[in-house]
Amino acid sequence: MEPSTAQTGGELRDRRADALGDLRVLPDEILCAILEELTPRDVARLACVSSVMYILCNEETLWMILCLKGASGLLQYKSSWKKTALNRENLPGKYIECNRGFLHFDGFNSVYLYRRLYRCHTKLDTFYVDNGNVERRGDVSLKDFRDEYDGKKPVMLTGLADAWPARHKWTTDHLLLNYGDVSFKISQRSSRKILMKFKDYVSYMKLQHDEDPLYIFDEKFGEVAPSLLKDYCVPDLFQEDYFDILNEDKRPPYRWLIIGPERSGASWHVDPALTSAWNTLLSGRKRWALYPPGKVPLGVTVHVNEDDGDVNIETPSSLQWWLDFYPLLADEDKPIECTQLPGETIYVPSGWWHCVLNLETTIAVTQNFVNYSNFEFVCLDMAPGYRHKGVCRAGLLALDDDGYEDVKKNMFCDEQNSSYSILSRREKRARNDEDGDDLNNERTKYGASRNYNVWKDGFSYDINFLSMFLDKDRDHYRSPWSSGNSIGQRELREWLSKLWVGKPEMRELIWKGACIALNADKWSKCLSEICSLHNMSSPLDDEKLPVGTGSNPVFLVGNTVVKIFVEGGLEAALHGLGTELQFYNILHEVNSPLRNHIPEVLASGILYLDDGTYTNLPWDGKGAPDIVIKSDLTRQKFGVDDFLFGVWDKMQFEDRNAEMPKQESVGSAGHSNIWPYIITKRCEGKIFAELRDRLSREDVTNLASFLGEQLRHIHLLPRPPLNISPFSDIEQDSGLPKVNGYVASSNYKSNMVAEWEIFMGTLTRKRKDVVSRLTKWGDPIPKKLIEKVDEYIPRQLANMLTIIEGNACKPCSWIHSDVMDDNIYMEPSCVSTSSETSDEGAQVDNGFSCGLSVNRDVKSWRPSYILDFSDLSIGDPIFDLIPIYLDVFRGDSYLLKLFLESYKLPFAINNSKNESTESDDKFGRLSYLAMCYCILHDDDVLGAIFSIWDDLRSADSWEEVELRVWGELNNYKGFP
């Protein structure tokens, strides 16, 4: 215990030294940051250590952070954040200190805590009441808006909401009366999804004294309260939105209901994907501050991840910025400002920084959109790489010194000859004014002379200027995708493809965007060369863009499908095509029934570019063309009939890559001008992903039986002989029994255990860092289960094979690995004549036509084809159940049961150990094996599991998750 504070010479002695001990050397902001990393229980205990710890540990802002850090789901505020946090810990009521007053101590002061306390209680009644300097306009025509403001500068518009019912109905009292029990999403600085019933949120607003209060920022308000959508409409000026061509479930979030109390607001940011936005205020007052693109506000730091281009913004809260940073600005550095009044609509152009502070309780609606003026910027933001993303947001400050010089040297060079050094991840540095003069004199070359979008350092928010910073070595299909992008890679291609088909009048603009985001011009040239060699008709305009949802460029040309293999680099592409061709070869040799449900292969080969000249070589997967041999990608002798890049070599290649950093992976770099390809016959019908919501229950049950039958054919297909030498790194890790120092004898053709070598070795590598991988994926995987995963998964994974006398009591087979909803084709099974145009025949959907005339209506669909065998591998057939059950069946156990009834193959040679799910031998439970494979999977399979069965987020053990998800497998005995 610290000694009591004594008064000496009329002055109070600082109690900090006695109360903190060695921690007294740390500033208060560091101490508070440390406390934020503790659990609520630990902070409550630490408050009992000393008087200063009591003060630090009872700060309301700290308890708000602790509570929100661990919160998810429905939140109910309990008059203070400490009470709310401890209540969520399920502590007995006597420990929550409902009636106990706070202790007070003299001899302590903290400027840091005082400033936080001041921000919590400051009032904004007279805070910036002036109108500001954003232009206000009423009765603006669409032509005037596009000429003067669209993509150029902000404007405050009046009169757009005068006729909305929301103008009078959206008040706190009215919403409370009609939507009190509706749960809305709460915005806070956390990746977790937090909801509050509106009546609880109103209660929170009245009680809180937070420096950065929670506010409703809900993009799903139209789903939870559909009647709210009837209270407003999109103003005519903003009707054009290219994202509206996507189905509602496919388009990125675009509209939000915003409700917040005094002091709440949105901190400095640029809208996602460089979209533009309009925001209409229905009640209250908002203060806006804005900076043009590239002008980073004081106190804000922009970080760009070199791997995937994800942009992270470090910024103070909006209130803190106005109180602590705004007063430091010289007049010429101050932002563009305005106070928004009820009924007014502000337009924020693409790329503009903005910050919003609610001066009183406000209710607003906002929407982001893509139109003619910002379409290319949106495509640029989703292009692979990171340099351009930093420049779009931070201007030339995003470049390090060398990169800045490169821009000046290469500004007028041909794009293909330009070179730029990499972005610095350090905090952005300011440039001297004279450094920008050289660029400033030349900026008009890039159309940079419009309003606020040009700065004296030479930065221009112009698509031609910004496109210079694209990394030409980064490819859409081979580069990591930023988690911060508004849509995924597949969704981006679908969006552009639908625009291409649905808006032919815009094709010049769409093509420019596709070339920026997808390198569409490059792939179009490759396609033309392939078509020319095989005497195919040249692609029509409708066929210029790649389609499909896979990881490689796919084109539909007439009645054919052309797939160019690029994912993972040349060696990975060769293995993908080589394995697929080897599989088809065996399929035809044994005349498997599966042949009838796989697209017919028409041709395959390798295209390469050398000194500007394209050369096209046919290749059936056997041997290796000269260009491949010259590329030094062959490491063994081979015959002309050998599948050099077949499945066994592919598995070893992937195993070697698993051990190496991503940037050093084998075959991932170089050889960027060599492309393997395959041409198959085009299937009639539509992919299951497009039809899912239209299918009858009978159609889906038929699909389950179909998949069981086809997976049976895949798993019965003969495996190619294992005629490779064992690799020492694999044999040491796999945990399989060894014979004469190797995993098995040299007779690989007859020894089943040897065939498991690479499969188990690769899993063992994943086993080593399983905790870090799951931690990186994070929510919705429960943290407490991540902590228990090591004890759940066996340390010797070979035990899962139940090795007996040198043999595995499990079958080893071909596995597809990727039977998902976008790799299954359906064709019409019942069509009726209709005088009206049906959805299926009315248009081409994502580039796939179902082949129906426009006056025929599809009543039912039957499964017809399984696509995309480039991910083939050899291993445990249970592995194939993961994508089928989780992605295709969405966790429907009845469909899984139907699948198994049609599958009719055992998952183990001897199923006698599977008699009881309560057996102490967990290796006898098929559910256990499936769960282990889910945990060790390359993809975030667990994220899908805890999204489908969201109640399992509160599970106490992996066994509970296992039996809930995969329990149906334990009832399966196989069939003789």
Side-chain angles (χ1 to χ4, degrees):
M1 288 289 294
E2 61 182 296
S4 59
T5 303
Q7 190 168 2
T8 305
E11 294 183 1
L12 293 175
R13 187 176 67 212
D14 187 355
R15 66 175 58 245
R16 189 183 299 267
D18 293 333
L20 292 178
D22 292 340
L23 294 179
R24 67 184 182 275
V25 299
L26 298 177
D28 290 344
E29 52 263 48
I30 299 298
L31 289 172
C32 289
I34 294 172
L35 293 177
E36 290 172 11
E37 299 302 316
L38 303 181
T39 67
R41 289 173 181 256
D42 288 339
V43 171
R45 294 186 185 102
L46 197 57
C48 302
V49 169
S50 70
S51 58
V52 173
M53 277 300 176
Y54 177 88
I55 296 171
L56 294 174
C57 291
N58 275 290
E59 192 201 16
E60 186 71 348
T61 301
L62 167 65
W63 281 100
M64 180 182 184
I65 294 170
L66 293 175
C67 185
L68 297 180
K69 185 171 65 174
S72 63
L74 204 59
L75 177 69
Q76 190 172 25
Y77 183 70
K78 300 290 185 180
S79 76
S80 77
W81 283 111
K82 182 176 182 180
K83 293 176 182 177
T84 304
L86 295 180
N87 183 75
R88 293 182 67 87
E89 294 288 311
N90 295 317
L91 294 175
K94 62 181 180 180
Y95 294 117
I96 302 180
E97 302 180 89
C98 294
N99 300 313
R100 180 178 174 183
F102 284 103
L103 301 177
H104 297 276
F105 299 94
D106 53 19
F108 175 84
N109 66 78
S110 169
V111 174
Y112 176 75
L113 293 184
Y114 171 76
R115 296 182 75 169
R116 295 224 302 199
L117 183 66
Y118 173 80
R119 290 194 293 270
C120 288
H121 293 273
T122 189
K123 302 295 292 182
L124 306 179
D125 293 340
T126 58
F127 195 77
Y128 299 131
V129 295
D130 62 290
N131 290 331
N133 50 14
V134 172
E135 186 177 355
R136 276 180 156 79
R137 290 287 301 272
D139 297 325
V140 178
S141 69
L142 180 60
K143 182 181 184 303
D144 288 344
F145 172 75
R146 289 178 174 173
D147 289 344
E148 298 180 38
Y149 305 105
D150 194 9
K152 301 177 180 67
K153 61 181 179 179
V155 61
M156 187 70 75
L157 301 163
T158 60
L160 298 186
D162 288 351
W164 291 3
R167 182 67 184 86
H168 307 286
K169 292 170 62 176
W170 285 21
T171 65
T172 302
D173 290 340
H174 186 274
L175 295 179
L176 186 60
L177 180 64
N178 292 278
Y179 304 98
D181 288 318
V182 176
S183 297
F184 293 105
K185 186 177 178 181
I186 301 300
S187 174
Q188 34 75 43
R189 300 189 182 193
S190 169
S191 60
R192 296 176 179 269
K193 182 179 180 181
I194 296 180
L195 304 172
M196 289 185 77
K197 289 185 177 181
F198 187 68
K199 62 183 180 183
D200 292 332
Y201 180 72
V202 172
S203 176
Y204 159 79
M205 285 199 297
K206 294 176 179 178
L207 295 172
Q208 61 83 30
H209 280 286
D210 297 330
E211 66 165 314
D212 189 14
L214 300 182
Y215 66 105
I216 291 175
F217 193 74
D218 193 341
E219 74 275 17
K220 298 292 185 182
F221 76 95
E223 285 84 342
V224 298
S227 55
L228 289 176
L229 298 178
K230 300 176 182 179
D231 291 341
Y232 79 97
C233 61
V234 178
D236 292 338
L237 300 179
F238 314 116
Q239 287 283 340
E240 185 179 62
D241 185 358
Y242 296 163
F243 271 142
D244 64 13
I245 201 167
L246 293 173
N247 296 333
E248 196 70 23
D249 61 333
K250 293 289 186 70
R251 69 180 302 179
Y254 67 101
R255 64 186 176 205
W256 289 265
L257 172 68
I258 309 174
I259 304 176
E262 181 183 24
R263 296 187 308 278
S264 65
S267 56
W268 282 107
H269 66 284
V270 173
D271 279 342
L274 300 180
T275 52
S276 301
W278 59 269
N279 181 302
T280 298
L281 184 63
L282 284 314
S283 64
R285 293 180 302 148
K286 289 178 180 285
R287 186 68 181 182
W288 289 75
L290 306 99
Y291 281 112
K295 182 71 172 179
V296 182
L298 180 67
V300 175
T301 303
V302 182
H303 296 283
V304 185
N305 187 299
E306 294 102 325
D307 292 330
D308 61 12
D310 192 34
V311 179
N312 178 44
I313 307 296
E314 292 183 19
T315 174
S317 69
S318 53
L319 176 63
Q320 185 180 1
W321 187 84
W322 251 291
L323 291 177
D324 296 347
F325 291 89
Y326 182 89
L328 303 178
L329 297 172
D331 287 343
E332 63 268 21
D333 293 326
K334 287 182 178 179
I336 303 164
E337 301 176 63
C338 65
T339 297
Q340 184 182 19
L341 303 177
E344 294 184 328
T345 300
I346 189 171
Y347 163 71
V348 181
S350 167
W352 277 67
W353 287 91
H354 49 288
C355 173
V356 188
L357 179 65
N358 290 321
L359 305 182
E360 54 197 35
T361 298
T362 61
I363 301 174
V365 63
T366 185
Q367 290 196 188
N368 288 64
F369 60 93
V370 185
N371 66 358
Y372 187 89
S373 72
N374 64 18
F375 173 73
E376 291 175 272
F377 295 98
V378 173
C379 291
L380 177 71
D381 197 62
M382 289 187 278
Y386 56 92
R387 184 189 301 125
H388 61 285
K389 291 196 175 188
V391 174
C392 284
R393 289 161 176 81
L396 298 183
L397 304 183
L399 301 174
D400 58 19
D401 292 328
D402 292 336
Y404 184 68
E405 291 301 319
D406 285 342
V407 173
K408 292 198 292 185
K409 291 177 182 178
N410 294 287
M411 179 171 286
F412 303 108
C413 293
D414 183 81
E415 260 189 26
Q416 293 184 351
N417 296 323
S418 297
S419 62
Y420 310 102
S421 63
I422 63 172
L423 264 175
S424 170
R425 291 189 70 183
R426 298 190 298 267
E427 188 169 334
K428 312 309 172 193
R429 299 189 303 274
R431 306 289 178 189
N432 294 326
D433 290 343
E434 57 268 26
D435 289 340
D437 291 342
D438 296 336
L439 285 176
N440 190 46
N441 294 332
E442 308 294 348
R443 64 190 178 193
T444 54
K445 172 182 174 68
Y446 303 98
S449 58
R450 58 184 194 183
N451 300 313
Y452 299 101
N453 293 352
V454 181
W455 294 90
K456 62 184 177 182
D457 63 0
F459 170 78
S460 168
Y461 195 68
D462 175 83
I463 193 64
N464 295 316
F465 177 82
L466 295 174
S467 296
M468 291 169 43
F469 299 93
L470 284 168
D471 187 342
K472 295 302 180 180
D473 292 330
R474 297 274 185 137
D475 185 82
H476 167 83
Y477 292 95
R478 294 191 299 166
S479 301
W481 193 249
S482 170
S483 59
N485 283 354
S486 61
I487 54 179
Q489 287 169 294
R490 299 177 177 185
E491 290 77 12
L492 171 62
R493 296 197 294 273
E494 179 183 359
W495 177 49
L496 293 174
S497 181
K498 282 194 169 185
L499 283 175
W500 186 259
V501 173
K503 297 182 180 294
E505 71 281 1
M506 289 174 40
R507 284 191 173 172
E508 182 179 355
L509 177 66
I510 297 169
W511 182 252
K512 290 179 181 179
C515 289
I516 292 172
L518 304 178
N519 285 338
D521 47 352
K522 165 183 164 182
W523 301 121
S524 179
K525 179 62 177 176
C526 291
L527 175 65
S528 296
E529 293 293 333
I530 293 170
C531 290
S532 176
L533 174 70
H534 296 283
N535 297 318
M536 297 166 53
S537 59
S538 298
L540 302 175
D541 279 348
D542 283 350
E543 301 166 340
K544 286 182 65 175
L545 282 184
V547 299
T549 57
S551 301
N552 295 287
V554 176
F555 295 89
L556 304 179
V557 182
N559 292 321
T560 64
V561 179
V562 180
K563 176 179 178 180
I564 303 173
F565 289 79
V566 299
E567 183 183 16
L570 176 58
E571 191 166 3
L574 288 169
H575 280 108
L577 177 55
T579 296
E580 192 164 355
L581 294 174
Q582 182 185 36
F583 179 80
Y584 294 153
N585 184 71
I586 295 176
L587 199 68
H588 285 76
E589 282 182 355
V590 301
N591 197 26
S592 169
L594 185 64
R595 289 178 55 187
N596 300 322
H597 300 287
I598 290 179
E600 178 185 353
V601 178
L602 303 177
S604 57
I606 295 176
L607 178 73
Y608 66 93
L609 178 65
D610 186 19
D611 290 333
T613 302
Y614 285 92
T615 302
N616 203 329
L617 302 173
W619 184 52
D620 61 0
K622 298 177 181 179
D626 289 342
I627 185 64
V628 174
I629 296 174
K630 291 178 182 178
S631 300
D632 196 28
L633 295 178
T634 59
R635 287 176 293 278
Q636 56 181 292
K637 295 180 180 180
F638 60 91
V640 293
D641 292 327
D642 292 337
F643 282 91
L644 181 62
F645 293 95
V647 66
W648 292 117
D649 196 68
K650 173 190 176 183
M651 292 174 66
Q652 289 184 83
F653 165 74
E654 292 174 344
D655 187 82
R656 293 192 301 272
N657 272 0
E659 283 288 276
M660 307 177 72
K662 186 176 298 184
Q663 64 270 24
E664 298 175 5
S665 59
V666 179
S668 64
H671 314 301
S672 58
N673 291 329
I674 305 175
W675 306 282
Y677 66 86
I678 189 172
I679 304 173
T680 59
K681 187 175 181 180
R682 186 171 175 178
C683 302
E684 290 278 333
K686 298 175 76 71
I687 59 174
F688 172 66
E690 295 292 331
L691 295 172
R692 179 190 291 275
D693 296 334
R694 311 180 210 172
L695 297 178
S696 67
R697 184 64 175 176
E698 182 180 2
D699 290 340
V700 178
T701 56
N702 289 338
L703 171 62
S705 299
F706 169 83
L707 291 177
E709 182 180 352
Q710 303 316 315
L711 265 291
R712 171 186 171 88
H713 295 319
I714 293 176
H715 296 162
L716 284 175
L717 198 67
R719 303 177 298 279
L722 183 59
N723 55 0
I724 57 175
S725 301
F727 282 76
S728 58
D729 58 338
I730 299 173
E731 72 181 48
Q732 290 171 2
D733 280 340
S734 65
L736 296 174
K738 297 178 174 57
V739 179
N740 298 326
Y742 293 100
V743 172
S745 68
S746 59
N747 184 12
Y748 280 87
K749 295 182 181 180
S750 61
N751 196 310
M752 178 181 290
V753 174
E755 294 187 332
W756 285 102
E757 175 188 355
I758 305 176
F759 179 79
M760 296 308 296
T762 303
L763 285 181
T764 300
R765 301 197 197 298
K766 297 174 184 175
R767 169 71 176 80
K768 291 179 180 179
D769 67 342
V770 62
V771 174
S772 62
R773 287 171 62 243
L774 300 192
T775 301
K776 180 180 179 181
W777 281 330
D779 190 64
I781 307 173
K783 184 177 180 181
K784 61 182 175 182
L785 291 186
I786 296 177
E787 295 169 352
K788 297 178 180 181
V789 72
D790 256 330
E791 63 188 60
Y792 178 75
I793 300 181
R795 296 201 173 275
Q796 293 295 324
L797 295 181
N799 291 336
M800 298 197 307
L801 304 181
T802 320
I803 304 297
I804 298 177
E805 297 179 356
N807 288 296
C809 286
K810 288 183 64 61
C812 180
S813 68
W814 286 94
I815 50 178
H816 184 289
S817 303
D818 195 29
V819 183
M820 301 179 72
D821 62 1
D822 52 0
N823 284 331
I824 301 169
Y825 243 80
M826 310 282 288
E827 62 183 20
S829 61
C830 180
V831 181
S832 63
T833 302
S834 173
S835 58
E836 297 181 1
T837 299
S838 67
D839 290 341
E840 279 71 40
Q843 65 178 22
V844 176
D845 196 353
N846 193 27
F848 291 91
S849 172
C850 64
L852 301 177
S853 61
V854 295
N855 64 336
R856 303 173 74 191
D857 186 21
V858 177
K859 295 299 183 183
S860 64
W861 297 79
R862 61 171 174 260
S864 54
Y865 292 95
I866 295 177
L867 311 180
D868 194 3
F869 285 79
S870 58
D871 286 330
L872 282 163
S873 186
I874 289 180
D876 192 337
I878 291 180
F879 215 79
D880 265 339
L881 296 185
I882 295 174
I884 292 175
Y885 184 40
L886 300 182
D887 184 72
V888 181
F889 298 164
R890 300 285 172 87
D892 188 325
S893 60
Y894 177 70
L895 295 179
L896 177 61
K897 182 179 179 180
L898 291 179
F899 168 92
L900 294 172
E901 289 176 357
S902 179
Y903 179 67
K904 298 182 180 179
L905 289 178
F907 286 112
I909 292 176
N910 182 357
N911 274 346
S912 61
K913 291 189 176 184
N914 298 340
E915 295 298 330
S916 172
T917 61
E918 298 178 359
S919 170
D920 291 335
D921 182 11
K922 59 186 178 183
F923 299 109
R925 297 197 310 260
L926 293 179
S927 61
Y928 176 70
L929 303 182
M931 195 69 232
C932 287
Y933 288 144
C934 288
I935 295 172
L936 296 172
H937 205 281
D938 282 330
D939 300 318
D940 186 10
V941 170
L942 296 179
I945 286 177
F946 289 108
S947 296
I948 295 173
W949 294 273
D950 57 357
D951 58 310
L952 285 177
R953 299 182 191 186
S954 60
D956 294 320
S957 68
W958 284 106
E959 287 79 8
E960 183 180 346
V961 178
E962 167 204 327
L963 295 177
R964 174 74 179 283
V965 176
W966 295 105
E968 181 62 39
L969 279 182
N970 295 324
N971 300 320
Y972 180 68
K973 303 298 184 284
F975 295 84

